Amino acid sequence: MTRAEAREILGVYRPGTEDADDPFFAEALKMAAADEELARWFVEEQAFDNLIAEKLAENSPARSEAPETLLAALSSGSARVVRWDFRRALALAAGLALLASLATWLLLPARESGAGTLAAFRSEMVTFVKLPPALDLETSDLAKVRSFLENRGIVQTVAVPGGTDRLPPLGCRALMFRGHRVALICFEREDGELVHLLIADRDAMAGPALTGGPQYAQEGEWSTAAWNEGDRVYMLATKGGPEAVRAYL
């Protein structure tokens, strides 16, 4: 399988669904795990698709009124091909109307390298974790999480906020933000919801260092807190209001 063929297959992959166990994706996923360039593209593609889907949902009220022929095809044996065509059709029909207003802040920044703003980091990372992300390592052992991330050079030292110590970790994975590696560690809250810890180099963020304690912000139903420690930026994200994320600092 070539890298181009793997991209075609992974372009229709839906994280957090039965696709993870579908043999159709197995070879492409295996290739992405071993190919750093393909892995970087795959992570960015998933984040980009999530952003497009979110904006289409916000701005296309007729989106749920799919023709009966498409719904019938989705339930047939050709569902995979139709699903991709349906997403393409939605993007062409509704996305063209939105493209001019979205291009400045959505399309171009998502593909640029170099430092991004904290606001961009917060928006892109929350968009990514809105669906439970596939993890590079699944474990409830925080020591194994630390070892995995540190040995692969994703971060040199993994430090977690004191409030997350009482939560069982689910695992971790590596992400990319504007050409910089980001460590993602997922924890399970007492109520079954997730708490995500993201760690990036300070160089990944444009602007002055974060001072005066954590900076809180709301991204839809998600609450975030970001702060500096040394040469790194940390961010916690979880569902709920500001009190939800403060509980884990």
Side-chain angles (χ1 to χ4, degrees), residues 198-231:
L198 297 123
I199 309 171
D201 287 340
R202 173 67 185 85
D203 292 343
M205 304 293 158
L210 305 177
T211 59
Q215 294 190 10
Y216 298 94
Q218 202 72 20
E219 289 283 333
E221 63 178 342
W222 289 75
S223 181
T224 69
W227 67 96
N228 275 129
E229 277 188 28
D231 59 355

Side-chain angles (χ1 to χ4, degrees), residues 15-29:
T17 71
E18 69 278 4
D19 285 357
D21 300 317
D22 190 333
F24 176 79
F25 297 101
E27 185 177 355
L29 288 170

Side-chain angles (χ1 to χ4, degrees), residues 17-133:
T17 71
E18 69 278 4
D19 285 357
D21 300 317
D22 190 333
F24 176 79
F25 297 101
E27 185 177 355
L29 288 170
K30 184 177 180 179
M31 185 174 178
D35 185 319
E36 185 173 352
E37 180 179 339
L38 181 60
R40 184 182 304 113
W41 170 88
F42 187 32
V43 168
E44 292 177 350
E45 183 72 7
Q46 289 179 72
F48 182 71
D49 284 351
N50 285 340
L51 284 169
I52 287 291
E54 180 182 342
K55 291 302 170 182
L56 288 175
E58 291 174 359
N59 292 274
S60 182
R63 184 169 179 260
S64 61
E65 299 173 6
E68 291 182 3
T69 53
L70 281 176
L71 292 177
L74 283 169
S75 63
S76 72
S78 59
R80 189 187 322 283
V81 174
V82 176
R83 182 178 69 218
W84 178 242
D85 289 342
F86 184 44
R87 187 173 73 172
R88 290 282 193 184
L90 285 173
L92 288 173
L96 287 176
L98 299 172
L99 186 57
S101 60
L102 293 177
T104 300
W105 72 272
L106 176 59
L107 299 179
L108 296 179
R111 299 309 185 192
E112 292 176 353
S113 61
T117 64
L118 173 60
F121 179 76
R122 181 171 57 239
S123 176
E124 291 180 24
M125 296 300 105
V126 169
T127 297
F128 182 80
V129 301
K130 280 182 178 178
L131 292 177

Side-chain angles (χ1 to χ4, degrees), residues 138-177:
E138 294 185 15
T139 179
S140 60
D141 187 336
L142 189 56
K144 290 182 179 179
V145 169
R146 286 193 171 99
S147 177
F148 181 91
L149 295 172
E150 293 170 0
N151 291 342
R152 285 159 180 77
I154 301 167
V155 289
Q156 293 181 355
T157 304
V158 176
V160 300
T164 59
D165 283 347
R166 65 179 183 273
L167 300 180
L170 299 178
C172 62
R173 72 171 291 165
L175 304 176
M176 295 294 294
F177 175 70

